[in-house]
Amino acid sequence: MSRVLLVLLMILLAGCARQDGAGIRSIDRHVDDRLPAAAADLSADRVVAADDARFQPLARTEHLAGAVDGRGWWRLRPEPSTAGASATHGRGRLLLVYYPYSARVTVALPPDYRPRSASIFTSEPDPAYSRRALVFPFEGDGPLYVGVESARYPLPVEVRDAHDYAVQDQAHARLLWGSVGILIGVSLAVLLFWSLLRERVYLLFALSMALQLLYVLCAYGDAYSLPALAWLGRFGVEGIWFVATSSTIVTVLFLIEFGELRPRAPRLSGILGWVGARLPGLLLIALVLPWPAYKGWFPPLGNGLLLLANLVAIVTLAVAWLRGSRHAGFVLIAWVPMISVSTARTVQLGAGIPLTPWLEYGLPLLMAFAAVVLVLGLADRMLTFRRERDAAQRHAERDGLTGAYNRDGITARLGHALNETRRLHQPLAVLFLDLDHFKAINDNYGHPIGDACLRAVVEVIRDQARLGDQLGRVGGEEFLLYLPGATLAAARGTAERLRSEVQTRCREVMGAPVRLTLSIGVVECEPRDTVESLIRRADEAMYRAKHAGRNQVVVLA
């Protein structure tokens, strides 16, 4: 899956790449000291009619710099259009304002300079394009006037041929929605696991992936173009903050549980719980409260806690991994690349530097990569638990001394064999084996020798009959062996071989001359038999062998 993501990235980066500042000769910033609180309140006619003295040239032509409290007006002079470019594609040129996020943008463009406003939270942007940029068509080579309010970053701008940008934007949409599709598929699959297994870690993982998916769609603006999510636009940038912080809280809770951080690194996991879940939870409460109305304090506090939580999480996961948590290793592989790209992306946007394709598309791709790796980690976790469960089940069913099934284990398996025998209309024989004079062996040579005799008998049966999975210890020195598909005659032959082999191989055990022998009772399953009646009849046949002088086989027909 990671190879698929890499190939997808390499194919699409060329189509998604853009030339920063292309198509713009110069950018001038309006320096009117009486700039109103909202850029849109400043008449576009006044800006267009302003003399050159009201505009200050900027040194760079790839972003709108010098905003005052997140607002301002700029004049852009585009490069002259190439002759015939508009005629070739019939769509003219576009002014592109990238990564607007919280900003509302007002433009006055040729030929009519009629003011137009847009943000990623409204339906005003052209529905033909994604919302990675606000798109404004224009015609002619006259200056372009751009007003911005509520901007948090210097906004990158570009003038592009409409057809060229449409091709690039389609590549962007394919890559973004391809990553989104992976996240949706993983979230639904894990949610299904949770509905079946009811383990909290699966629910936390599904919620974490769903919130990260929602954050990507909101941050790119595409969520607000979807009918099911368009209502989120009314919350503006505060809605994005809420989703991002909620995603951090749920992800940290998932990491603590999945990475086994509490038992492996208790102190560090406690710190992570505070900086990654409890304190961000308090910030969320303050965000949704009506007071204070000004919420500009949230981004620096939220981002600061996020960076601190990432740092603590990496240290905690590394410690847990070094202390034996395989699952913490899975998280490190999945999570470190994603948070590295996310941090670099935030820093570069804050500096007003246009994002490279690796940073622009690395986040959704690495989220998809992380989802796939963590699913593999969940599968490994399930396999580990299954092995532990099977080991516990084997321990519960097995006799600790001999390794044969205990009474409960062998009777359960005999019940399954009885049902299968009747379904297939096949014979089934049962042998009841008892070590002769076992009490005397314990009295004369001690219990260690007696225990060795029990193990020796089990070893003989496994070696001779290959019947270890059909053998159980039902008492101190008593064993039960069932033979699916064996007639009474065949079972008698098996019993005789076992009796003879024990007599031959167990004359001496651990240096003690025990001269071990077996008394064996043999019965065949009858139509009315149950597990209990089979064992009772086989036990009766064994006692007949005892009374007949021991070291012999008695068949009860």
Side-chain angles (χ1 to χ4, degrees):
M1 182 62 72
S2 58
R3 179 177 294 182
V4 173
L5 291 174
L6 180 60
V7 171
L8 181 64
L9 177 63
M10 298 302 294
I11 291 175
L12 296 180
L13 281 184
C16 294
R18 63 184 182 85
Q19 297 177 350
D20 302 318
I24 299 176
R25 274 190 301 166
S26 63
I27 298 181
D28 307 320
R29 182 173 66 89
H30 194 280
V31 293
D32 193 334
D33 295 334
R34 297 168 296 153
L35 192 68
D41 293 339
L42 178 59
S43 168
D45 294 336
R46 280 183 55 195
V47 175
V48 173
D51 55 50
D52 290 343
R54 287 296 178 187
F55 287 96
Q56 179 182 29
L58 298 180
R60 302 174 65 176
T61 61
E62 70 270 13
H63 63 264
L64 305 177
V68 180
D69 296 328
R71 56 193 174 88
W73 276 91
W74 289 264
R75 180 176 64 190
L76 286 63
R77 297 188 183 276
E79 297 285 357
S81 57
T82 22
S86 298
T88 302
H89 301 301
R91 296 183 61 178
R93 289 189 292 174
L94 306 173
L95 169 65
L96 306 168
V97 182
Y98 288 97
Y99 324 127
Y101 300 129
S102 59
R104 184 169 185 83
V105 177
T106 301
V107 299
L109 308 177
D112 56 5
Y113 289 94
R114 177 176 55 86
R116 287 176 284 169
S117 298
S119 75
I120 64 169
F121 305 111
T122 67
S123 59
E124 292 156 354
D126 192 332
Y129 303 101
S130 71
R131 300 201 182 187
R132 63 192 286 257
L134 297 179
V135 180
F136 301 97
F138 71 94
E139 295 180 3
D141 296 328
L144 317 176
Y145 297 90
V146 182
V148 175
E149 59 180 297
S150 302
R152 293 188 58 233
Y153 307 116
L155 302 182
V157 290
E158 187 179 23
V159 170
R160 291 284 299 274
D161 175 81
H163 175 77
D164 292 343
Y165 180 72
V167 173
Q168 173 191 321
D169 195 54
Q170 289 174 5
H172 159 86
R174 287 195 296 270
L175 190 148
L176 176 63
W177 289 104
S179 303
V180 166
I182 294 174
L183 288 170
I184 291 175
V186 168
S187 299
L188 292 177
V190 175
L191 195 60
L192 178 61
F193 290 155
W194 171 79
S195 68
L196 296 174
L197 302 175
R198 295 295 176 179
E199 289 192 32
R200 194 168 76 113
V201 66
Y202 294 102
L203 180 60
L204 288 174
F205 180 71
L207 289 177
S208 174
M209 289 296 102
L211 286 171
Q212 290 184 40
L213 167 63
L214 185 59
Y215 168 72
V216 167
L217 291 178
C218 289
Y220 279 80
D222 292 275
Y224 311 110
S225 62
L226 301 175
L229 299 176
W231 58 273
L232 291 172
R234 74 183 68 168
F235 300 105
V237 70
E238 293 178 6
I240 299 179
W241 298 343
F242 186 91
V243 171
T245 307
S246 300
S247 172
T248 298
I249 294 172
V250 175
T251 300
V252 165
L253 294 176
F254 165 72
L255 296 182
I256 290 174
E257 184 157 340
F258 176 75
E260 302 171 340
L261 301 188
R262 288 192 184 94
R264 305 281 185 176
R267 292 184 179 179
L268 286 172
S269 67
I271 296 173
L272 178 59
W274 271 102
V275 300
R278 293 181 179 88
L279 292 179
L282 294 176
L283 283 184
L284 281 186
I285 294 174
L287 179 65
V288 299
L289 289 176
W291 184 90
Y294 174 71
K295 305 295 183 181
W297 50 267
F298 189 92
L301 284 179
N303 288 335
L305 276 179
L306 175 61
L307 292 175
L308 181 59
N310 287 341
L311 178 61
V312 174
I314 291 174
V315 173
T316 308
L317 288 165
V319 170
W321 176 60
L322 292 174
R323 292 177 179 175
S325 173
R326 283 168 49 86
H327 305 136
F330 276 101
V331 177
L332 285 171
I333 294 172
W335 206 45
V336 170
M338 183 177 70
I339 62 176
S340 299
V341 168
S342 178
T343 302
R345 192 173 185 272
T346 301
V347 171
Q348 193 155 325
L349 282 173
I353 303 173
L355 297 179
T356 62
W358 285 101
L359 287 181
E360 183 171 2
Y361 299 102
L363 184 60
L365 282 171
L366 287 175
M367 281 185 175
F369 170 77
V372 172
V373 172
L374 290 176
V375 164
L376 294 177
L378 283 174
D380 179 78
R381 184 175 186 269
M382 291 176 64
L383 183 59
T384 300
F385 287 170
R386 180 177 178 180
R387 288 171 178 166
E388 292 174 352
R389 181 204 65 192
D390 291 345
Q393 184 176 1
R394 286 194 299 270
H395 180 73
E397 291 181 341
R398 295 282 181 174
D399 173 51
L401 176 62
T402 64
Y405 284 102
N406 58 26
R407 187 177 188 92
D408 290 339
I410 195 62
T411 53
R413 294 181 70 85
L414 179 57
H416 293 313
L418 185 58
N419 293 333
E420 190 69 8
T421 292
R422 286 174 173 161
R423 185 180 68 86
L424 299 175
H425 305 289
Q426 292 180 347
L428 171 68
V430 173
L431 283 62
F432 204 107
L433 305 87
D434 185 272
L435 278 67
D436 296 327
H437 304 295
F438 186 70
K439 184 178 183 304
I441 293 174
N442 277 331
D443 292 342
N444 294 330
Y445 301 105
H447 288 284
I449 297 297
D451 292 345
C453 289
L454 295 174
R455 289 192 292 267
V457 168
V458 171
E459 183 178 350
V460 168
I461 295 173
R462 286 175 173 164
D463 288 348
Q464 291 300 309
R466 308 293 183 188
L467 300 173
D469 285 340
Q470 295 154 219
L471 174 69
R473 183 184 178 196
V474 294
E477 70 274 16
E478 297 174 335
F479 293 87
L480 187 73
L481 178 68
Y482 67 90
L483 305 174
T487 62
L488 202 59
R492 179 170 188 163
T494 299
E496 287 288 357
R497 286 196 303 273
L498 293 177
R499 184 198 60 77
S500 175
E501 189 66 20
V502 167
Q503 183 178 15
T504 302
R505 290 176 53 178
C506 299
R507 292 179 181 274
E508 185 177 296
V509 175
M510 291 182 63
V514 294
R515 299 185 182 278
L516 191 62
T517 61
L518 291 179
S519 295
I520 305 175
V522 181
V523 296
E524 184 178 3
C525 178
E526 296 179 351
R528 295 183 180 180
D529 267 328
T530 62
V531 170
E532 291 76 14
S533 65
L534 267 173
I535 295 176
R536 185 176 61 252
R537 292 199 301 117
D539 184 45
E540 181 184 347
M542 183 273 296
Y543 272 106
R544 291 188 183 185
K546 288 280 190 184
H547 294 313
R550 295 182 173 86
N551 190 25
Q552 58 186 281
V553 175
V554 170
V555 176
L556 189 62

